[in-house]
Amino acid sequence: MDVITPFTPIASTIGGALIGLAAVLLMLFNGRIAGISGILARLFPPYAGSDIASAVTFVAGLIFAPILYSVVSGAPVAQTVSGNVVLMAVAGLLGGFGTVYGSGCTSGHGVCGLARLSRRSLVATVVFMAAGFVTVFIARHVIGG
């Protein structure tokens, strides 16, 4: 089964610009990196602290933004995920382990770290992008046949 990925340059460019703007505004007003894993971690002990309200607000925005988009545009938000629960659990655990081991996630390193010209973020971004390319190749050409 081939997976068709639509080419959406305008929507992707607008989305990327909005992500960049959000990262800049978070740094400007809160002095925080827009790393989703770090923000999510601030909701749970031992990292929960005095700025838990900003973390809750940020995560709520991630959850409700697609719903708001759907209501305003009248178009459904389409997201395809695997129905294989074991695969999803393993992928989630590997993603979480990689985030902890790599000291950050794609948004923290790839968006914010690269913008700050961090060498550590450059290495992290190259590694997770390469891993993503290999994973997609294997999923589409080896496993998916």
Side-chain angles (χ1 to χ4, degrees):
M1 175 175 113
D2 286 337
V3 175
I4 305 217
T5 306
F7 181 62
T8 57
I10 294 172
S12 299
T13 300
I14 292 169
L18 289 173
I19 289 169
L21 177 63
V24 167
L25 292 175
L26 188 64
M27 178 61 82
L28 181 67
F29 292 115
N30 290 22
R32 292 268 188 197
I33 296 291
I36 307 304
S37 61
I39 292 170
L40 188 61
R42 291 200 321 261
L43 297 176
F44 303 99
Y47 305 107
S50 61
D51 65 342
I52 195 166
S54 67
V56 167
T57 303
F58 192 92
V59 172
L62 293 174
I63 294 167
F64 291 110
I67 296 168
L68 179 63
Y69 169 81
S70 184
V71 168
V72 170
S73 70
V77 175
Q79 179 66 47
T80 304
V81 295
S82 174
N84 184 332
V85 176
V86 173
L87 176 68
M88 295 298 284
V90 170
L93 289 171
L94 288 173
F97 174 76
T99 297
V100 171
Y101 187 71
S103 299
C105 59
T106 55
S107 55
H109 284 301
V111 175
C112 300
L114 291 180
R116 293 178 311 125
L117 304 176
S118 165
R119 280 188 273 162
R120 183 176 80 149
S121 289
L122 176 62
V123 171
T125 302
V126 167
V127 168
F128 61 67
M129 290 300 292
F133 296 154
V134 169
T135 301
V136 169
F137 178 82
I138 290 171
R140 288 189 179 179
H141 301 290
V142 176
I143 296 172

